Amino acid sequence: MLYLLLVAGGLLAINYAHAVCPVCVVAIGAGVGIAEEFGVDDTIIGLWAGALIIAMAWWTVNWLVKKNWSFKGSGSAVFVAYYLLTLFPLYFSGLIGKPLNKIWGIDKLLLGIIAGSVLFYAAEWLHFYFKAKNENKVYFPFQRVVFPVITLIIASGAFYFLTK
């Protein structure tokens, strides 16, 4: 029942839009799948999963704006719904909360999701910042894809060395 309420609340929500390009979402999704297949550490999988959560939430927000289904705080409600719909199943299935799966006292998967969300958001902000400084034009083709993907690759490398 709670799940249905969260989904319904997320679908009714929207206030602003920062759509993310489809190529970026596909790259993130592929990164998560490849990482799991090769036995990559949970922090790195979490990085890509956190970025995917942000990307999907932005897509949903944008879709809802186009449908004129918005109210005050609806954009935030979409983001909260996506995190709840991701974290609750991970927790209740035992993927988050394993006592021996921690770094710095924080669950590796949860830390990765938080870091990935923050880094993806920052990379998107950086893209818009540079675009605004250049008269609303990108500096190079696929800038919007390159910024978040390169940021996540660098962070993945950093977490790789921190967890080995």
Side-chain angles (χ1 to χ4, degrees):
M1 183 63 179
L2 177 62
Y3 180 80
L4 291 175
L5 289 173
L6 290 173
V7 170
L11 290 175
L12 296 174
I14 197 63
N15 197 355
Y16 53 89
H18 297 284
V20 176
C21 71
V23 175
C24 208
V25 173
V26 169
I28 293 165
V32 171
I34 291 168
E36 285 181 339
E37 196 65 33
F38 286 104
V40 175
D41 190 77
D42 281 352
T43 52
I44 297 169
I45 292 172
L47 275 171
W48 292 85
L52 186 60
I53 292 168
I54 292 288
M56 295 303 296
W58 268 332
W59 264 10
T60 302
V61 166
N62 190 47
W63 180 79
L64 292 171
V65 165
K66 287 179 182 176
K67 297 289 183 183
N68 292 321
W69 295 345
S70 63
F71 57 88
K72 185 175 179 164
S74 59
S76 298
V78 169
F79 282 88
V80 169
Y82 267 98
Y83 280 103
L84 292 176
L85 291 170
T86 301
L87 295 176
F88 279 152
L90 290 174
Y91 177 77
F92 288 116
S93 67
L95 293 172
I96 290 180
K98 296 176 188 173
L100 300 176
N101 194 33
K102 294 185 178 197
I103 184 171
W104 306 316
I106 302 169
D107 184 87
K108 286 181 173 184
L109 188 56
L110 183 60
L111 175 65
I113 289 171
I114 293 167
S117 297
V118 169
L119 290 171
F120 187 83
Y121 185 87
E124 282 292 306
W125 179 87
L126 196 61
H127 156 72
F128 285 114
Y129 173 78
F130 280 117
K131 188 175 173 185
K133 286 190 70 111
N134 194 29
E135 299 176 5
N136 213 26
K137 296 180 205 163
V138 295
Y139 282 97
F140 54 90
F142 301 105
Q143 173 180 307
R144 189 164 190 190
V145 175
V146 170
F147 277 23
V149 171
I150 294 297
T151 301
L152 291 171
I153 289 171
I154 291 168
S156 295
F159 272 119
Y160 173 80
F161 288 110
L162 286 170
T163 58
K164 293 294 171 198

